[in-house]
Amino acid sequence: MTGIEERLRDALAARADAVQDDGRPRELPAARVGSSAIRLWAPAAVVAAILVLVVLVTVAGTRTVTAPAPAVRPTPAAPRGLAPPVATVWPQAVHQIPKKAPGGRTFIPDAFAGDRLVVGRGLTRNRPDGIWAYDLRTRGFAQITPLKDLHIAHAPVAAGDGYVAWSAHRGHRVEVWAVPLAGGVPRRLASTTAARSSQNTFEGIDLVIAEGMAVWSPSDGGVYRVPLRGGKAIRMLGTLGYHLAIWPWVGSPQADQARDVLVRRPMEQLKNALTGELREARPPAGRTSWRACAVTWCHNGREAWRRDGTGLRTLPGDAHSPLHADHVVLMHQRDRDGRGASAVHDVATGRTGLLFRTPTRAGDPAPPTLYTHDGLFQYQSGDHTQTVIDLRAIS
């Protein structure tokens, strides 16, 4: 073996060692019909590459050549086509419940209280008139408390720690109310000045129950809490300018999709409201922004990755929602014939479940309206039924 051949062998070996193999088989690219150049370029390119390597090795002599770092590549996308139905992928997460509560009122599910109760609002003539619970085991409704005040906000109720909480508007203020899940007389926990929108309307709050407290964040930032049993409402130290993410994590900046404000890196910084711990988001190499970022995952619509920039993967469709429950996104898919559908995707496991078809051609039926909360999705699925998806059970 000549000296040039030995250097060529060493250069090729060094280049091979720089390539990371994830163990997945790779498909060969399909040849384009009618192009004879496709059949001829490969051998010529190989010869040219060998000649270039020979020249490099000969000129470099004994100098060390460092191979460039391999590019960051996402894991392969899922096969084309539509996902199987969501009830097939996660049967434990999908529930069919009645549209109507007793008295003919509409039942709007808002949250899961444990594994068996769906908590929500009862509406008469589109006005909330009570807080109700639906038992998934007994298939029955129970009223938690009536609502006589028509100022209650059209916002989802929160459930946790044996309580239900909701917000209401009164004048220029937002009130926070709560009642035990077992029923009783509602208690007003707090009253605070309502934030104003760019259209000069009063905005609501993001509300959760945690640590025996009602915790909320207004649209202009800051995180407040008050004991469920009553007490003084306070703004938590160090939360000015932050918004609720997933308790106890709060984040900044906030993506304001309602106002069409472009935020290239929403929730770039997270803070633990209890400990003060900070977490910064770092995108993978070659990515500079994202559409949504939660505690664990981020996505840019076509790809997802962990908040620390690792675990890059291609999404099997176009993701168009925030990250719900930290790892679930809504996305649009198309089959091989171009027909569209809405689907739920778990970025952590790569599993996808079909929700319903979406219109792509004139005359296609309109899809149902999908209502999304952080822990629950809901849409009408029949004349007398609605589908509720428990995001906690998606994994």
Side-chain angles (χ1 to χ4, degrees), residues 203-227:
E203 297 193 337
I205 60 176
D206 294 325
L207 176 66
V208 299
I209 293 177
E211 312 288 337
M213 304 270 185
V215 184
W216 69 93
S217 178
S219 62
D220 56 355
V223 180
Y224 300 79
R225 67 178 180 178
V226 63

Side-chain angles (χ1 to χ4, degrees), residues 8 40-54:
L8 176 60
L40 298 176
W41 78 269
V46 172
V47 173
I50 293 175
L51 290 176
V52 170
L53 281 171
V54 170

Side-chain angles (χ1 to χ4, degrees), residues 38-375:
I38 294 296
R39 294 189 292 271
L40 298 176
W41 78 269
V46 172
V47 173
I50 293 175
L51 290 176
V52 170
L53 281 171
V54 170
V55 173
L56 286 174
V57 172
T58 303
V59 173
T62 58
R63 287 181 298 170
T64 301
V65 178
T66 302
V72 177
R73 297 174 180 173
T75 56
R80 291 184 177 181
L82 300 182
V86 64
T88 301
V89 181
W90 299 291
Q92 72 281 5
V94 181
H95 306 279
Q96 301 292 327
I97 69 173
K99 291 170 57 175
K100 298 292 185 179
R105 57 180 48 85
T106 299
F107 177 64
I108 305 296
D110 288 325
F112 279 87
D115 296 329
R116 60 183 292 180
L117 291 182
V118 182
V119 176
R121 292 156 289 158
L123 274 63
T124 299
R125 293 189 294 275
N126 206 35
R127 289 282 190 175
D129 62 3
I131 306 296
W132 292 76
Y134 180 77
D135 193 314
L136 294 172
R137 297 180 187 173
T138 65
R139 314 296 292 180
F141 283 98
Q143 186 182 64
I144 297 175
T145 186
L147 294 173
K148 303 296 185 182
D149 192 340
L150 298 181
H151 295 91
I152 182 172
H154 285 267
V157 303
D161 295 348
Y163 277 79
V164 178
W166 62 93
S167 60
H169 289 286
R170 192 180 305 277
H172 298 174
R173 305 186 70 78
V174 176
E175 299 175 345
V176 178
W177 291 76
V179 68
L181 186 61
V185 178
R187 178 197 297 266
R188 188 177 70 177
L189 301 178
S191 177
T192 183
T193 303
R196 286 180 179 266
S197 70
S198 57
Q199 289 77 34
N200 203 32
T201 59
F202 295 107
E203 297 193 337
I205 60 176
D206 294 325
L207 176 66
V208 299
I209 293 177
E211 312 288 337
M213 304 270 185
V215 184
W216 69 93
S217 178
S219 62
D220 56 355
V223 180
Y224 300 79
R225 67 178 180 178
V226 63
L228 290 167
R229 297 181 180 276
K232 183 179 180 180
I234 62 169
R235 188 181 72 210
M236 300 185 69
L237 186 65
T239 64
L240 187 63
Y242 285 85
H243 297 78
L244 276 173
I246 298 177
W247 181 258
W249 295 98
V250 298
S252 179
Q254 171 81 339
D256 196 341
Q257 298 175 345
R259 301 181 190 175
D260 296 324
V261 176
L262 178 62
V263 178
R264 296 181 63 249
R265 299 167 74 108
M267 293 293 177
E268 184 170 6
Q269 185 181 83
L270 287 182
K271 175 185 284 189
N272 188 308
L274 297 177
T275 67
E277 178 189 350
L278 294 176
R279 290 186 185 178
E280 301 285 343
R282 295 191 298 272
R287 283 73 176 173
T288 60
S289 63
W290 50 81
R291 183 175 297 181
C293 212
V295 176
T296 308
W297 295 96
C298 304
H299 79 80
N300 62 8
R302 301 298 296 175
E303 301 167 319
W305 58 84
R306 293 184 181 276
R307 170 170 276 270
D308 63 4
T310 63
L312 182 66
R313 60 206 55 200
T314 299
L315 299 174
D318 179 22
H320 53 82
S321 79
L323 283 150
H324 299 275
D326 197 33
H327 64 107
V328 176
V329 295
L330 289 168
M331 64 173 46
H332 184 72
Q333 291 188 318
R334 289 186 181 272
D335 63 15
R336 292 179 176 86
D337 296 326
R339 293 174 298 179
S342 286
V344 176
H345 180 72
D346 177 7
V347 298
T349 64
R351 303 173 74 191
T352 308
L354 182 73
L355 287 173
F356 41 71
R357 294 276 189 169
T358 56
T360 54
R361 299 178 177 89
D364 287 350
T369 300
L370 179 67
Y371 296 92
T372 63
H373 307 319
D374 189 62

